[in-house]
Amino acid sequence: DTGVSQDPRHKITKRGQNVTFRCDPISEHNRLYWYRQTLGQGPEFLTYFQNEAQLEKSRLLSDRFSAERPKGSFSTLEIQRTEQGDSAMYLCASSFLGGGNYGYTFGSGTRLTVV
Amino acid sequence: GENVEQHPSTLSVQEGDSAVIKCTYSDSASNYFPWYKQELGKRPQLIIDIRSNVGEKKDQRIAVTLNKTAKHFSLHITETQPEDSAVYFCARWAGTALIFGKGTTLSVSS
């Protein structure tokens, strides 16, 4: 296990289509986060899981977005009826929250382009 | 309340000079402040962090200082090298997740 893996690295989709991204965190990490990053901006928080429970969702996460982490391991982020404004880099990060440790390890991201 | 303000947005220095990036926040409950470096097309990587019970932390050429009273923290890079060129993000722990600044693009010219 060498880090956080995200798949695919790039996705081009037509407006209105559904897309799904996958994140495989570091195996011993209990927290998994999804962020969105647009050009010239910092990562913006979308949602996070502790084990399999989704504990918080940002107001950025519209009802077209859904995330799951069914067995507390990998996670998926689905965007339904994509819009051009959804074009961004979607970053996954994982961490082990305990003993005062808050640091993340990020994946390489999935770059989504909606045409 | 929630955002982290980061300045400057771009910074150009000559190789060997020092670079300083500053971030401010307003939530006094924040207790953890990391800095991430993101090279073009790559993932953000943690380079240094500081907790609220410490005023300064150093790791070779990089250091972070924290002023909890004034609610600001800064990244200091000394003896800059071309490979330091990247986008740097500050962040604060907001109780459940990290909130990031908008980033500083550092360019080091040789």
Side-chain angles (χ1 to χ4, degrees), chain B residues 29-50:
Chain B
S30 297
N31 61 356
Y32 173 73
F33 306 89
W35 286 88
Y36 284 80
K37 175 183 181 182
Q38 187 174 30
E39 296 178 48
L40 193 62
K42 296 191 175 180
R43 70 187 75 191
Q45 291 197 300
L46 178 68
I47 56 170
I48 196 167
D49 56 14
I50 192 167

Side-chain angles (χ1 to χ4, degrees), chain B residues 6-23:
Chain B
Q6 184 171 346
H7 298 281
S9 57
T10 59
L11 180 58
S12 296
V13 299
Q14 291 286 319
E15 183 177 1
D17 288 350
S18 295
V20 180
I21 303 169
K22 183 176 176 179
C23 289

Side-chain angles (χ1 to χ4, degrees), chain A residues 31-35 44-50 52-61 65-68 77 104, chain B residues 2 92-99:
Chain A
R31 283 208 169 182
L32 186 149
Y33 302 83
W34 285 99
Y35 281 77
E44 296 174 296
F45 171 73
L46 293 178
T47 188
Y48 88 94
F49 293 83
Q50 178 143 335
E52 66 275 10
Q54 187 174 16
L55 296 184
E56 187 172 334
K57 291 192 274 190
S58 161
R59 63 182 183 279
L60 292 175
L61 211 68
F65 287 69
S66 61
E68 294 182 343
L77 177 69
Y104 291 1
Chain B
E2 194 172 88
R92 70 171 187 91
W93 180 251
T96 54
L98 289 174
I99 304 298

Side-chain angles (χ1 to χ4, degrees), chain B residues 15-103:
Chain B
E15 183 177 1
D17 288 350
S18 295
V20 180
I21 303 169
K22 183 176 176 179
C23 289
T24 60
Y25 62 98
S26 55
D27 184 355
S28 57
S30 297
N31 61 356
Y32 173 73
F33 306 89
W35 286 88
Y36 284 80
K37 175 183 181 182
Q38 187 174 30
E39 296 178 48
L40 193 62
K42 296 191 175 180
R43 70 187 75 191
Q45 291 197 300
L46 178 68
I47 56 170
I48 196 167
D49 56 14
I50 192 167
R51 298 180 195 282
S52 58
N53 58 348
V54 175
E56 183 174 0
K57 183 176 178 182
K58 197 170 181 181
D59 182 4
Q60 299 181 10
R61 294 186 299 107
I62 60 173
V64 55
T65 57
L66 171 64
N67 184 325
K68 277 215 80 177
T69 304
K71 298 192 185 75
H72 64 72
F73 56 110
S74 299
L75 177 71
H76 304 253
I77 306 174
T78 58
E79 300 170 28
T80 53
Q81 300 168 3
E83 51 265 38
D84 294 329
S85 297
V87 181
Y88 291 81
F89 295 100
C90 64
R92 70 171 187 91
W93 180 251
T96 54
L98 289 174
I99 304 298
F100 288 83
K102 292 189 174 183

